[in-house]
Amino acid sequence: MSTEYTVTETLDVKGESCPMPVVKTKGAIDDLSEGDVLEVLATDSGSVSDIAGWAEATDSVELLGQEEDADVFKHYVRRTA
């Protein structure tokens, strides 16, 4: 499945368990500029709800989408401010 987002940077956290995917996503998004899109690759199924919850509770990010592809969960997060 392809995405409609232009990815600025990819963060690979495959093999890491909660809470590291969220912790590293926050760190990576802090280094991006407004409008940039971060693609996060994770193998922890808990990352789906964790990143969605973090994005919902964080004012400066927007969760654009989440996909599962061959046991890899892909999350697309845009920095909005």
Side-chain angles (χ1 to χ4, degrees):
M1 177 181 236
S2 66
T3 65
E4 60 196 70
Y5 320 116
T6 300
V7 174
T8 306
E9 186 171 315
T10 298
L11 173 67
D12 186 346
V13 291
K14 292 182 283 194
E16 299 196 36
S17 299
C18 181
M20 292 316 293
V22 171
V23 170
K24 290 188 173 183
T25 297
K26 182 191 180 313
I29 205 84
D30 286 349
D31 292 338
L32 297 181
S33 300
E34 183 176 346
D36 287 348
V37 176
L38 177 67
E39 176 185 52
V40 182
L41 307 177
T43 49
D44 181 4
S45 63
S47 67
V48 174
S49 60
D50 290 350
I51 290 177
W54 167 77
E56 188 173 317
T58 304
D59 290 335
S60 61
V61 300
E62 173 187 13
L63 180 62
L64 300 174
Q66 296 177 306
E67 302 172 3
E68 181 179 357
D69 183 22
D71 296 329
V72 176
F73 299 93
K74 297 179 180 180
H75 313 275
Y76 297 91
V77 182
R78 175 180 289 140
R79 183 167 178 161
T80 59

